[in-house]
Amino acid sequence: MFSDKTRKYHLADSREEFLQNFHESNELTKNFPFGEVLFVRKEDEIYAFINNCPHQGQKMQGCTIQEGQVICPVHKYKFDVKTGRGHGLYLDFYPLEETKDGFFLLRTYFSWFGE
C-alpha cells in the first residue's frame, strides 16, 4: 500500500543545545542519508532545507531570509519558507520539532510498501 512516512532525525537533546552549534555564524550544515541540510538561524527562528538550490544545484550557503522567503545566493531565486515554492521550482524544507526526547528534524517521504 502506498503511504507517506515521516522519519525523525535527532539533532540535540534540546533546541537550546542545538543553537550552541551555530557559534558566530547563522548557518550550519549537517549530512543525512538523504543529503546535506542547511540550517539557518534568523532571530529566534531556525529554518532547515536541503543545501542545493533546485535551479542549478548550487549550494544555498550564504543565502538570505527576507519577508518569508529564502533567497539563493547565486541567482537570487526566492523560495517561500513555509511551502518551498518559488520560480516554478520547489526547495525541500524540513520541519523541526522539540519534544521531551530532544530536538528533531522531520522528513516526510513516500513509501511504495507502507513500511
Side-chain angles (χ1 to χ4, degrees):
M1 169 163 262
F2 308 119
S3 65
D4 286 339
K5 299 291 180 187
T6 299
R7 178 157 183 207
K8 289 184 174 184
Y9 294 88
H10 186 265
L11 299 172
D13 289 335
S14 69
R15 184 177 192 275
E16 290 74 28
E17 181 183 310
F18 184 70
L19 286 170
Q20 293 174 8
N21 294 312
F22 283 86
H23 303 289
E24 295 175 11
S25 172
N26 286 327
E27 294 183 343
L28 173 69
T29 59
K30 287 193 169 285
N31 289 312
F32 293 90
F34 55 88
E36 186 177 59
V37 173
L38 178 63
F39 297 88
V40 177
R41 180 180 179 181
K42 175 144 175 132
E43 298 163 7
D44 290 336
E45 294 291 323
I46 303 172
Y47 301 95
F49 46 91
I50 202 75
N51 194 20
N52 288 312
C53 179
H55 171 232
Q56 289 186 347
Q58 300 292 322
K59 296 288 185 190
M60 291 295 289
Q61 288 168 275
C63 66
T64 55
I65 296 179
Q66 297 175 339
E67 299 174 7
Q69 296 182 320
V70 60
I71 304 168
C72 175
V74 180
H75 296 110
K76 308 302 180 208
Y77 275 42
K78 298 176 183 177
F79 302 93
D80 186 278
V81 296
K82 292 185 177 153
T83 66
R85 295 176 193 245
H87 294 274
L89 302 168
Y90 182 80
L91 179 66
D92 289 337
F93 274 80
Y94 304 106
L96 301 171
E97 174 183 89
E98 185 172 25
T99 68
K100 63 179 175 60
D101 297 322
F103 190 60
F104 298 90
L105 175 138
L106 283 68
R107 179 175 179 257
T108 300
Y109 60 95
F110 178 78
S111 174
W112 284 98
F113 304 106
E115 298 175 353

